[in-house]
């Protein structure tokens, strides 16, 4: 690694600490710069996505996934679908459902809980 790279990383780490302290009121002692470059080549296809109007006149996008096994990261998968659909239809409300048809008892999580947000 060249000298400029070492200096640049040192400056960026200092900048992270300063922003965290002065703008976010967070005291940060250790900073590890993460590589966020990701190549994402995949085809995602939701089972069923339709624009609908219900009996009271509400328009929304209905997303249904049919699942026959307990997917350990189903909530995360549904969140990814949500983001992908919302990116294409940014002004539409989205309602999502997983219909489980498996033989085993349902054990999938139905939400993701973080300190600042919740997806369900």
């Amino acid at each position: 690694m060249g000298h400029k790279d070492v200096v640049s990383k040192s400056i960026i780490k200092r900048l992270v600490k300063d922003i965290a302290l002065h703008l976010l009121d967070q005291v940060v002692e250790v900073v590890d710069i993460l590589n966020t470059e990701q190549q994402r080549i995949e085809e995602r296809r939701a089972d069923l996505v339709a624009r609908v109007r219900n009996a009271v006149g509400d328009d929304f996008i209905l997303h249904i996934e049919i699942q026959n096994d307990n997917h350990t990261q189903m909530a995360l998968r549904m969140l990814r679908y949500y983001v992908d659909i919302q990116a294409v239809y940014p002004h539409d409300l989205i309602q999502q459902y997983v219909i489980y048809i498996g033989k085993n008892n349902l054990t999938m999580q139905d939400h993701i809980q973080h300190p600042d947000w919740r997806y369900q």
Side-chain angles (χ1 to χ4, degrees):
M1 180 182 300
H3 177 68
K4 287 183 181 180
D5 289 340
V6 172
V7 171
S8 296
K9 285 195 178 198
S10 175
I11 291 169
I12 290 171
K13 287 181 179 186
R14 183 71 247 169
L15 186 61
V16 169
K17 288 182 179 183
D18 289 343
I19 288 172
L21 178 63
H22 298 293
L23 297 179
L24 307 176
D25 199 27
Q26 296 281 335
V27 176
V28 173
E29 295 180 3
V30 177
V31 176
D32 291 321
I33 304 300
L34 303 177
N35 179 7
T36 58
E37 182 179 328
Q38 299 175 8
Q39 187 174 29
R40 187 172 154 183
I41 300 173
E42 63 184 335
E43 184 174 326
R44 287 190 115 23
R45 188 164 295 146
D47 290 344
L48 184 128
V49 179
R51 182 175 281 113
V52 300
R53 177 176 293 138
N54 64 16
V56 296
D58 296 328
D59 292 321
F60 58 93
I61 292 177
L62 177 62
H63 169 213
I64 297 172
E65 286 296 309
I66 309 296
Q67 190 67 23
N68 62 8
D69 62 349
N70 284 294
H71 191 288
T72 57
Q73 294 198 10
M74 193 65 193
L76 181 60
R77 185 171 145 198
M78 291 299 287
L79 177 58
R80 288 185 69 190
Y81 279 127
Y82 180 88
V83 169
D84 289 346
I85 295 166
Q86 193 73 79
V88 176
Y89 304 102
H91 303 294
D92 290 286
L93 296 175
I94 300 170
Q95 290 187 21
Q96 295 180 291
Y97 299 91
V98 175
I99 298 175
Y100 178 67
I101 59 171
K103 292 179 182 178
N104 295 328
N105 289 337
L106 177 66
T107 59
M108 290 182 283
Q109 287 188 323
D110 65 350
H111 69 280
I112 300 171
Q113 181 68 52
H114 281 267
D116 295 330
W117 58 271
R118 177 180 173 90
Y119 170 80
Q120 178 176 341

